[in-house]
């Protein structure tokens, strides 16, 4: 026997007393590791599970993994099933008091098995992550084989879009382990403790000669506001667990169910008419508009700190779940950038996978132009967003709140993308570009040829007025470009009625296996 092997009891030859063994396993690692975690505001993995799930509902699998190794209780990961608000779920939780939550061969096998079970039984899969990654000493056993660590990611990808997969990140998710949250639909990260990274700061310095810190390179705040790998920045572990619970409340257990409905509530009192300025140059906060449409306190924003020029999130309209995609002119004028296109693409695909109707609220000048964004691939990212809008077969409604210019109209589910309705507010404008830009593009030479400043301004104003008449919203309604012009006070009822009518629509799109990601 090795020094890590638990010796058989003298009184019961062959194995230690099971009750005593269970207590040892349930305690996790040594007290010093519990104390170190507590000093950082971190809970024990079993406490996290107890806080998340319904009381006494957790049933554990694989508790005795590596039971004969005295310093590896449960092999560092807790797996099993439970209920949350009465709904069945499957979950895994790294125990960071055991070898820093690192993976051995049995750790990997337990994680694979619980994901397979979630997929097979069609229930949401929850990952409570706090892991230093693979145990290098166990690499031959856990890394390369058919049931090695790679099988975790293969299984996650297979389950993607079939069942919701949600992650709360409490500590590190290192190296290959960083891909567990990456394949999830939603990632909540605890500020100050959570991190995701492929290489540690020491490795980064060794490989690329860059000096950095863990927080700067892979911390929660960075990932939730810069990289977009995190969806929700939690102030503590309780808030992260609440976010997981709230997120799941908007989704069905699997792709063939409808999202769970609740009792309808009136929206928060908001003057929707007064909120939208007439002038395109004046910004307003679209989040307030969203909250004035949806049932009160039902809006759950996702990626609130990243690509803030676009708002995405779940809400309820008359008790029914909807997904909201809305331009926010408070940030960067509501223009679509590389990150906001990615943000929209993923959220639209999530809603379409789990039968969540989509509501697009447009106030968009279009996609950003210029050398910087072209080098970042704005065309490629914009094409992905437009593809996602095209492929989404859930009920979808486009509301032009103030403007929809250029390819921005397409990206926000404009008339050419089979929305179940295109609705315009009286303030709406739909055009290739705004009047000022259009006049400048077409008549620049003529304008510059007029020497008198007052005469030039009068000529420009005349051209603008002609352009505005050309794109008048009543004219566009007369041409059947838009299906209705709705007063702001009537918009909520209009949306509820149209979404109810579209609920049983045909979900087929194209005869094929799947599309090919643009460029």
């Amino acid at each position: 026997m090795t020094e890590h092997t638990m010796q058989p009891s003298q009184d019961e030859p062959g194995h230690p007393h099971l009750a005593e063994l269970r207590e040892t396993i349930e305690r996790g690692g040594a007290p010093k590791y519990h104390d170190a975690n507590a000093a950082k505001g971190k809970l024990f993995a079993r406490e996290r599970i107890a806080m998340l799930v319904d009381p006494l509902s957790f049933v554990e699998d694989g508790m005795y993994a590596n039971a004969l190794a005295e310093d590896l209780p449960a092999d560092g990961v807790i797996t099993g099933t439970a209920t949350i608000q009465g709904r069945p779920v499957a979950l895994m939780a790294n125990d960071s008091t055991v070898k820093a939550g690192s993976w051995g061969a049995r750790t990997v096998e337990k994680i694979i098995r619980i994901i397979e079970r979630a997929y097979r039984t069609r229930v949401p899969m929850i990952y409570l992550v706090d892991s230093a990654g693979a145990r290098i000493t166990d690499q031959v056993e856990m890394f390369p084989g058919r049931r090695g660590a790679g099988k975790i990611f293969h299984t996650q990808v297979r389950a993607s879009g079939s069942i919701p997969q949600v992650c709360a990140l409490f500590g590190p998710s290192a190296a290959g382990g960083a891909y567990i949250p990456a394949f999830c639909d939603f990632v909540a990260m605890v500020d100050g403790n959570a991190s995701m990274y492929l290489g540690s700061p020491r490795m980064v310095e060794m490989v690329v000669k860059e000096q950095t810190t863990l927080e700067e390179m892979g911390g929660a705040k960075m990932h939730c506001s810069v990289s977009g790998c995190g969806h929700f920045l939690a102030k503590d572990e309780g808030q992260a667990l609440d976010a997981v619970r709230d997120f799941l409340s908007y989704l069905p257990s699997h792709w063939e169910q409808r999202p769970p409905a609740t009792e309808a509530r009136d929206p928060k009192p908001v003057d929707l008419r007064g909120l939208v300025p007439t002038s395109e140059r004046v910004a307003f906060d679209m989040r307030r508009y969203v909250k004035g449409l949806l049932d009160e306190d039902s809006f759950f924003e996702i990626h609130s700190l990243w690509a803030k020029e676009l708002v995405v999130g779940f809400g309820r309209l008359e008790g029914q779940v909807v997904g909201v995609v809305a331009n926010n002119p408070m940030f960067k004028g509501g223009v679509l950038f590389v990150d906001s296109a990615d943000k929209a693409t993923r959220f639209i695909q999530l809603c379409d996978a789990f039968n969540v109707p989509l509501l697009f609220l447009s106030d968009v000048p279009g996609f950003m132009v210029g050398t910087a964004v072209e080098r970042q691939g704005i065309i490629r990212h914009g094409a992905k967003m437009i593809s996602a809008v095209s492929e989404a077969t859930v009920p979808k409604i486009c509301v032009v709140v103030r403007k929809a210019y250029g390819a921005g109209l397409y990206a926000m589910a404009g008339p050419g993308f089979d929305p179940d309705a295109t609705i315009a507010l009286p303030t709406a404008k739909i055009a290739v570009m705004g009047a000022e830009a259009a006049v400048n593009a077409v008549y620049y030479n003529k304008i510059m040829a007029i020497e008198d400043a007052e005469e030039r301004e009068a000529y420009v104003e005349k051209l603008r007025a002609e352009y505005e008449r050309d794109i008048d919203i009543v004219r566009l309604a007369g041409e059947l470009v838009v299906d209705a012009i709705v007063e702001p006070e009537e918009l909520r009822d209009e949306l509820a009625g149209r979404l109810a009518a579209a609920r049983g629509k045909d979900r087929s799109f194209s005869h094929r296996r799947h599309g090919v990601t643009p460029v």
Side-chain angles (χ1 to χ4, degrees), residues 302-303 306-307 310-312 324-327 336-351 358 360 367 381-382 384-386 388-389 411-412:
I302 296 171
H303 267 148
W306 182 58
L310 190 81
V311 176
V312 302
V324 176
V325 180
N327 310 112
L336 290 166
F337 285 77
V338 167
D339 283 348
S340 41
D342 284 353
K343 177 177 175 176
T345 299
R346 195 171 188 278
F347 182 72
I348 292 165
Q349 291 173 336
L350 173 67
C351 290
L358 282 160
F360 294 82
F367 284 92
H381 293 271
K384 289 176 183 176
M385 181 177 176
I386 291 171
V389 171
M412 296 300 288

Side-chain angles (χ1 to χ4, degrees), residues 36 133 304 306 332 392 418:
S304 64
W306 182 58
K332 300 180 180 178
D418 282 346

Side-chain angles (χ1 to χ4, degrees), residues 132 134 136 174-175 197-218:
I136 301 300
Y197 53 92
L198 297 183
S200 67
R202 187 172 60 187
M203 180 182 289
V204 167
E205 184 175 5
M206 181 181 71
V207 175
V208 298
K209 312 305 180 190
E210 176 190 350
Q211 290 192 335
T212 186
T213 65
L214 185 57
E215 185 64 27
E216 181 183 39
M217 180 181 66

Side-chain angles (χ1 to χ4, degrees), residues 75-77 94-103 107 130-133 135:
D75 210 41
V77 67
N94 298 119
D95 182 355
S96 61
T97 69
V98 178
K99 300 283 187 184
S102 59
W103 297 357
T107 320
D130 190 353
S131 170
R135 294 176 207 149

